[in-house]
Amino acid sequence: MIAAAFLAMLKRDVRLALRQSTDLGMILGFFVIAASLFPFGVGPNPETLARLAPGIIWVLALLAVMLSLDRLFQSDWEDGSLEQMALAPAPLSVIVLAKATAHWLTACLPLIAVAPVIAVMLNLPAEAYGVLLAGLALGTPTLSLIGAVGAALALGARKAGLLIAVLVLPLYIPVLIFGVTAVDAHLTQISVSAHFLYLGALLAAAAPLCPWAAAAAIRHSVG
Amino acid sequence: MHRFANPGRFMRVADRLQPWLLWGGLALLVAGLYKALLDSPPDYQQHDTVRILYIHVPSAMLAQGAYIMMALGSASFLIWKHPLGDLLARSAAPIGAALTLVCLITGSVWGKPTWGTYWVWDARLTSMLILLFLFIGYMALANAFDDPARGDKPAAILAVVGIVNIPIIKFSVYFFNTLHQQSTLFRREGPSMPPEMLTPLLIMFGAFTCLFLWLLAVRLRGEFAKVRLRAIRAGLVRRAETAGRRRAPAGGPVEEGAG
Amino acid sequence: MRRMGDAPALFDAVALTCLRGRRLVFEDLAFRLDAGGALMLVGPNGAGKSSLLRVLAGLIEPLSGAIRWDGEDVTADREAHRARLAFVGHLDAVKPAFTVRETLEVWAGLFGAEAVSAETLDAAMDAWGLDALAHVRGAELSAGQKRRAALARLMLQDRPLWLLDEPTTALDAASVATLERLVAEHRGRGGLVVASTHGGFAMPGATVLDIADFQAEAA
């Protein structure tokens, strides 16, 4: 029953996100447009841009993920769907996990797909692409999970979108650090296995804990 | 007044302790400042700048203590549903944030003559900065709801999530720092410290602790007053409604429009 | 309300006290229902009808007291309790981007232990006159149509306990009659109904509970 509920929820959220693909387009648009501002800000020197590229891509990915978080629970909360989900026989944390997975598939995966375009724009050395994308693939699920906690906590608050940013961004710092330093390390011929292990450890810790905390926050918000 | 909104014995103890904490704290502060500023030797390397540490270190320790207290209060609120835990956390947060800010400012003032710059992305400074962000997040969330009581549980969950994250954040920040900074710019006082410096530091720590607890008691009383005020207001609204209803003929299901 | 020595009721509550935020909504509330029973919640605005329904659904934790199903506290197995109830609240849980049929499919998938057959879905839509609207998206529905879609959820699963919070809001007379008929059929099968109302909705033989009787004294 738990697996069935997980799949039903996952399917529903993915379908909903695809129906409202304009939202997804806007997030990708933000990612690319914001990245193209940096050459104007720091100058078009390819070496400077290459040095900054991993950091810019990661920070913008973080911000783009954060901007997409409000659709995770907010509209379901407003129209009463979340209340019904809280009443489903399956544990709410499983439903939250399904929603976070759907968020990753529909918000993070497209960002990872677009990241190479930005990497080209910012002149990232070719040998760094693999590590950058692998880091994003391993780090962004954690962002979705932590983001689910932030989005759930902000339900019903004034200025929920802004509040999510204040709550979630400090908690994103570890993922950012390991993701960016992995690329830097790779470019200076240092082994990146430690970085990936830490990113994996963060994901392994977030996968059970975040749905649980988010579920507690949702139970409160629908009570 | 409902028994769960009743401050009870805890507040009476806090009230009795309050003057002791205030005057004890002030006395310790005077003694500590005298020791720290006049009656302790300047560091052979840092000269008189070292005296900032007598404010910097106690505020850093108490700021972290305040976060721990906030998280423990929040956890007790979540587990035992004890409203005191929530009020304690709400009271501790702004004090902790202020102490973190004091720590950051004194650190940066100390950094200018020592490192030649006001800000360095040193692991310790960075993790204190993130601690400040966590305090800000907590306070923002606790006060983000139109019905203040709605914010209790989300804020408590955030405090607990934060305390789980602090070691992870600290670890990652140290990791980041060791990669970016080849030579450590400075070593803290280290394991050994001359007693003429340790004594004023301990006195100052005592003074800060007393004043922290005093401020906490003051703020706690304020939070209790807010809760009581809300309860009284709700009671007044209810009474007005009941009175209005008595005037109108009632009984059985009241026929009104939907909603 | 419960007397000693009685056989346990199918669904009952004792000494239920509910605190919302820091406000006491009702105190020492009790009722009992047996198979086929119905409870009609009445009382002025803000008295706590919605709160009681949400407490019964498990959305709000009562401060004290117990809710029992077949004599067993529902907190002992929350998932089992959630699996035996259907709740229709003020909000319809209809997504603007999904058609009526998709909406019902989604809820069927999330609530059901087994896949809900197409016939059950058709029957649910038929009962509420939603056939014509099956492929209309939620965004284009009127308030009454959305409400009917929400009430059609009741037909998807065979849940013994229906919790309805002012179910007739936005419904026309014909739909109210449908609801009354479906509630009567549900009770005929031994099901239970707890519903709040401001009037205009009849459940013959229902116990009437005025929440105002359990209001805490103002502070």
Side-chain angles (χ1 to χ4, degrees):
Chain A
M1 182 195 80
I2 287 175
F6 179 88
L7 285 176
M9 197 64 235
L10 182 68
K11 219 172 91 186
R12 177 231 191 222
D13 265 26
V14 169
R15 188 144 59 135
L16 206 55
L18 295 180
R19 285 269 161 96
Q20 298 161 341
S21 51
T22 336
D23 298 6
L24 172 62
M26 280 197 288
I27 287 160
L28 291 179
F30 163 82
F31 193 37
V32 176
I33 294 169
S36 66
L37 294 182
F38 278 85
F40 300 115
V42 300
N45 178 10
E47 274 156 42
T48 318
L49 288 176
R51 174 70 197 83
L52 294 178
I56 292 172
I57 293 168
W58 261 100
V59 169
L60 290 179
L62 234 66
L63 294 177
V65 169
M66 189 204 79
L67 286 175
S68 65
L69 287 174
D70 62 339
R71 75 153 191 247
L72 202 49
F73 301 122
Q74 188 67 32
S75 77
D76 283 337
W77 182 75
E78 281 163 6
D79 66 21
S81 300
L82 203 57
E83 172 180 286
Q84 292 297 329
M85 291 169 198
L87 289 171
L92 188 54
S93 51
V94 171
I95 291 171
V96 171
L97 189 65
K99 284 181 86 67
T101 312
H103 176 264
W104 184 77
L105 287 172
T106 57
C108 298
L109 213 52
L111 287 176
I112 298 174
V114 173
V117 179
I118 297 176
V120 171
M121 281 163 57
L122 298 178
N123 199 33
L124 185 76
E127 66 264 32
Y129 278 58
V131 176
L132 175 76
L133 294 181
L136 282 170
L138 196 56
T140 46
T142 314
L143 301 184
S144 288
L145 286 162
I146 295 175
V149 180
L153 287 173
L155 285 173
R158 300 181 303 260
K159 302 249 174 229
L162 206 57
L163 185 62
I164 292 175
V166 174
L167 301 184
V168 153
L169 287 182
L171 302 178
Y172 277 179
I173 291 171
V175 176
L176 174 67
I177 288 175
F178 295 126
V180 174
T181 51
V183 182
D184 285 348
H186 183 71
L187 286 174
T188 47
Q189 318 293 324
I190 300 172
S191 161
V192 294
S193 57
H195 304 76
F196 281 103
L197 276 177
Y198 290 135
L199 280 176
L202 289 178
L203 179 56
L209 292 178
C210 288
W212 180 74
I218 289 171
R219 286 227 173 275
H220 174 73
S221 78
V222 297
Chain B
M1 170 71 42
H2 186 250
R3 69 204 139 104
F4 281 83
N6 189 356
R9 208 182 308 151
F10 184 87
M11 262 334 273
R12 279 199 293 279
V13 173
D15 280 355
R16 205 165 305 156
L17 279 176
Q18 224 170 300
W20 290 95
L21 289 169
L22 176 62
W23 294 111
L26 286 177
L28 282 171
L29 189 68
V30 170
L33 281 176
Y34 168 75
K35 275 253 170 211
L37 298 181
L38 303 169
D39 194 30
S40 70
D43 189 78
Y44 76 102
Q45 261 187 328
Q46 301 172 10
H47 309 292
D48 280 336
T49 5
V50 76
R51 300 186 197 281
I52 290 177
L53 127 133
Y54 299 119
I55 291 177
H56 178 77
V57 173
S59 52
M61 291 171 81
L62 278 170
Q64 296 179 50
Y67 199 93
I68 293 170
M69 179 182 265
M70 202 174 94
L72 289 179
S74 297
S76 77
F77 174 66
L78 289 176
I79 298 167
W80 297 292
K81 303 197 169 64
H82 202 306
L84 191 65
D86 169 58
L87 294 180
L88 195 68
R90 273 176 188 257
S91 311
I95 312 175
L99 284 167
T100 314
L101 204 60
V102 168
C103 166
L104 286 172
I105 292 170
T106 51
S108 118
V109 168
W110 177 82
K112 183 65 181 166
T114 316
W115 302 330
T117 168
Y118 282 113
W119 187 263
V120 168
W121 289 93
D122 158 74
R124 273 168 192 263
L125 276 178
T126 311
S127 43
M128 281 313 277
L129 183 66
I130 297 170
L131 187 68
L132 181 65
F133 295 161
L134 294 179
F135 274 123
I136 290 172
Y138 176 88
M139 289 188 289
L141 185 59
N143 299 307
F145 296 83
D146 288 322
D147 172 9
R150 281 304 275 183
D152 292 356
K153 210 175 161 197
I157 295 173
L158 182 71
V160 174
V161 168
I163 202 89
V164 173
N165 263 284
I166 281 177
I168 300 172
I169 291 172
K170 278 209 158 184
F171 172 75
S172 68
V173 165
Y174 276 83
F175 184 88
F176 150 81
N177 195 256
T178 47
L179 200 103
H180 278 255
Q181 214 171 281
Q182 267 68 32
S183 70
T184 319
L185 280 168
F186 79 118
R187 256 172 59 93
R188 275 297 165 106
E189 55 281 1
S192 67
M193 190 189 228
E196 58 269 34
M197 287 170 85
L198 193 61
T199 318
L201 186 61
L202 287 177
I203 296 174
M204 285 299 278
F205 186 68
F208 268 64
T209 310
C210 286
L211 292 175
F212 171 80
L213 292 174
W214 171 72
L215 220 64
L216 189 69
V218 171
R219 284 199 46 84
L220 207 50
R221 192 191 279 181
E223 291 288 334
F224 270 124
K226 268 194 228 165
V227 171
R228 211 181 286 169
L229 189 65
R230 273 204 292 273
I232 291 170
R233 267 203 205 124
L236 285 179
V237 170
R238 186 98 50 88
R239 212 171 291 167
E241 281 246 312
T242 330
R245 218 173 292 134
R246 249 183 237 124
R247 253 177 272 127
V254 183
E255 293 284 348
E256 293 175 19
Chain C
M1 222 179 241
R2 204 166 112 75
R3 285 145 302 207
M4 296 293 283
D6 276 355
L10 183 53
F11 185 54
D12 70 340
V14 281
L16 217 51
T17 298
C18 172
L19 186 74
R20 297 213 66 179
R22 290 170 184 140
R23 184 173 85 89
L24 206 56
V25 185
F26 52 78
E27 211 171 14
D28 211 18
L29 186 146
F31 67 82
R32 55 173 293 154
L33 284 178
D34 287 301
L39 190 66
M40 179 85 96
L41 305 179
V42 297
N45 289 132
K49 299 188 292 291
S50 295
S51 294
L52 176 57
L53 281 162
R54 298 176 87 80
V55 167
L56 296 180
L59 287 170
I60 303 177
E61 198 83 356
L63 184 65
S64 60
I67 304 162
R68 291 177 302 199
W69 185 267
D70 236 345
E72 197 180 319
D73 200 310
V74 297
T75 52
D77 189 350
R78 287 178 183 287
E79 286 174 22
H81 186 59
R82 294 207 294 269
R84 74 170 71 97
L85 67 86
F87 177 85
V88 176
H90 285 286
L91 299 164
D92 296 322
V94 172
K95 279 277 153 209
F98 281 155
T99 66
V100 172
R101 197 185 171 87
E102 282 171 334
T103 302
L104 291 178
E105 273 169 1
V106 163
W107 292 123
L110 204 62
F111 283 121
E114 299 115 39
V116 171
S117 65
E119 290 85 67
T120 316
L121 242 131
D122 288 337
M125 297 212 297
D126 192 43
W128 284 100
L130 292 167
D131 322 44
L133 301 171
H135 299 292
V136 176
R137 296 189 320 134
E140 292 146 16
L141 296 178
S142 74
Q145 290 166 334
K146 276 191 205 166
R147 181 110 286 228
R148 268 149 61 198
L151 287 165
R153 276 204 318 266
L154 295 170
M155 318 275 98
L156 294 176
Q157 270 87 33
D158 196 16
R159 299 290 175 84
L161 175 61
W162 287 6
L163 302 172
L164 313 175
D165 196 355
E166 295 184 20
T168 53
T169 308
L171 286 187
D172 54 22
S175 303
V176 173
T178 306
L179 180 64
E180 284 172 351
R181 178 174 55 79
L182 290 170
V183 163
E185 283 173 18
H186 177 64
R187 289 172 63 194
R189 290 189 298 267
L192 305 183
V193 180
V194 181
S196 69
T197 181
H198 276 305
F201 173 56
M203 288 196 292
T207 315
V208 175
L209 188 145
D210 188 345
I211 300 261
D213 294 345
F214 301 94
Q215 215 113 80
E217 264 143 64

